[in-house]
Amino acid sequence: MRRNFFVAAAAAALFIAPPLSNALLAEQAAPAGAAAQAPASPPAGTPAGGRAIQGGGGQGGGGTPPADGRQGGGGRGGGRGGRGGAPAGPAPRNAQGRALLTTATPAEKGVWTPNFSITAPLAPANTVPFMDWSKALWQDREKNELEPHTRCKPSGVARQFLTPYGVEFVEIPDLQQIYIFDIGGPHTYRIVYMDGRAHPKDFTPTYYGHSTGKWEGDTLVVDSVGFNESFCFVRRGLPHTEKLHTIEKFTRTDSNTINYEATIDDPGAYTNQWTGKFTLGLSAGQELFEYVCQQDNKATELMVGDFKSVDRSSDFIP
């Protein structure tokens, strides 16, 4: 009975995205010939000092690689052509000339997936300003992931994009909202409010937090607070607290590439703010599909690690 409930709830959510996408893309799409050359990718910067989050670059793809050789940030993107085989062209634009995070027309399908290994860290470990407790917890999670995402829980910030199935952006100008649909995992969606509202003073912390956004040229800048501690905000299990405050930037550089950058400010877990980045590539011809996370998901390597057992009644999740 419980399993049937989860399956039915997940399936019901799947009917939302395709109608919205088709109807709204037609409204956003620019007339023929309106596309213009996308701006160049912003240069990498350095972490900003102080507690207030700065908008600038970061260290996701730079710095000295950690001792184990893992790389952070970066990616293959760079306009080398989408996964559907089409060479990169200019970013599609709306009637006002601003780059879209969606495809150009309803007839063109596509979702966004990482342009690098989905298990790569957001930034090299030796550039992350850990506190002692957060570093110790991260090191334990490297061996014993027990990641909530494998139990079909929503995962905010960068983790939402680090799946093999990708995400789809849907902008609704009339509501002044942008939806980010997560195709795999919990198959949920995140709302970015574009109407200029402030974050609420009192709220219940959630997996995605409360997000407000604005456009700076062709870059969507998303400010988020109000996270709970029940998820991992990156694939490699970096800790966070309810003090987490993030600034994310999404820049459509060409038809096949979005540059993603996240500035992390959590005075409960890190001694300073820090920034990581990666690129998303367009998987042309793909779109949202039915996905039931609860169905026969074993993923034992992400649930057990070095532990001999976990608190569950069977191999199935949940």
Side-chain angles (χ1 to χ4, degrees):
M1 179 69 72
R2 182 184 178 201
R3 176 171 174 155
N4 289 339
F5 168 79
F6 281 118
V7 171
L14 304 178
F15 293 98
I16 298 175
L20 281 175
S21 179
N22 289 342
L24 296 168
L25 283 172
E27 179 179 344
Q28 297 176 57
Q37 182 64 42
S41 175
T46 56
R51 293 260 41 105
I53 289 187
Q54 307 298 319
Q59 59 201 37
T64 303
D68 59 8
R70 291 195 306 270
Q71 299 294 324
R76 300 192 307 272
R80 292 194 294 172
R83 291 169 178 78
R93 297 180 180 274
N94 64 8
Q96 290 72 44
R98 191 253 301 154
L100 298 170
L101 297 181
T102 61
T103 49
T105 71
E108 297 177 15
K109 309 298 182 183
V111 300
W112 296 98
T113 54
N115 268 337
F116 63 101
S117 168
I118 60 176
T119 60
L122 180 61
N126 63 349
T127 67
V128 176
F130 290 104
M131 291 183 175
D132 289 343
W133 77 265
S134 60
K135 185 172 185 178
L137 179 56
W138 167 71
Q139 290 173 332
D140 183 76
R141 287 176 174 177
E142 283 283 275
K143 297 184 296 182
N144 305 292
E145 293 193 39
L146 299 173
E147 192 188 12
H149 191 90
T150 66
R151 287 178 165 76
C152 310
K153 306 301 182 188
S155 299
V157 198
R159 183 62 177 92
Q160 182 179 15
F161 308 100
L162 301 180
T163 75
Y165 304 106
V167 300
E168 183 172 346
F169 294 88
V170 177
E171 184 175 358
I172 307 180
D174 288 346
L175 295 180
Q176 299 185 71
Q177 295 176 6
I178 293 176
Y179 288 77
I180 306 175
F181 288 92
D182 186 358
I183 299 175
H187 209 101
T188 54
Y189 62 90
R190 172 182 174 192
I191 303 175
V192 180
Y193 297 99
M194 303 293 292
D195 56 5
R197 71 180 68 187
H199 295 304
K201 294 182 179 180
D202 298 307
F203 47 75
T204 300
T206 62
Y207 291 93
Y208 288 134
H210 184 273
S211 297
T212 61
K214 63 180 179 180
W215 287 99
E216 294 182 353
D218 288 339
T219 298
L220 173 65
V221 181
V222 180
D223 185 302
S224 302
V225 297
F227 298 100
N228 65 34
E229 298 178 12
S230 299
F231 69 98
C232 295
F233 72 90
V234 293
R235 184 90 182 210
R236 300 307 292 252
L238 293 177
H240 70 278
T241 71
E242 291 186 359
K243 297 178 181 179
L244 176 63
H245 176 200
T246 66
I247 297 290
E248 297 167 281
K249 293 186 175 184
F250 303 82
T251 305
R252 183 79 176 267
T253 59
D254 59 41
S255 61
N256 294 333
T257 310
I258 290 178
N259 285 346
Y260 174 83
E261 177 181 296
T263 299
I264 307 299
D265 185 42
D266 186 348
Y270 303 99
T271 60
N272 204 343
Q273 65 179 250
W274 55 279
T275 301
K277 59 180 67 175
F278 51 78
T279 61
L280 299 173
L282 183 69
S283 292
Q286 303 297 315
E287 58 185 330
L288 289 168
F289 58 86
E290 182 172 344
Y291 185 102
V292 181
C293 183
Q294 290 82 1
Q295 183 175 354
D296 198 23
N297 184 356
K298 297 183 179 181
T300 53
E301 71 278 6
L302 297 179
M303 295 185 293
V304 180
D306 284 353
F307 293 138
K308 301 300 182 184
S309 65
V310 294
D311 184 16
R312 66 179 189 275
S313 58
S314 74
D315 287 339
F316 296 93
I317 308 170

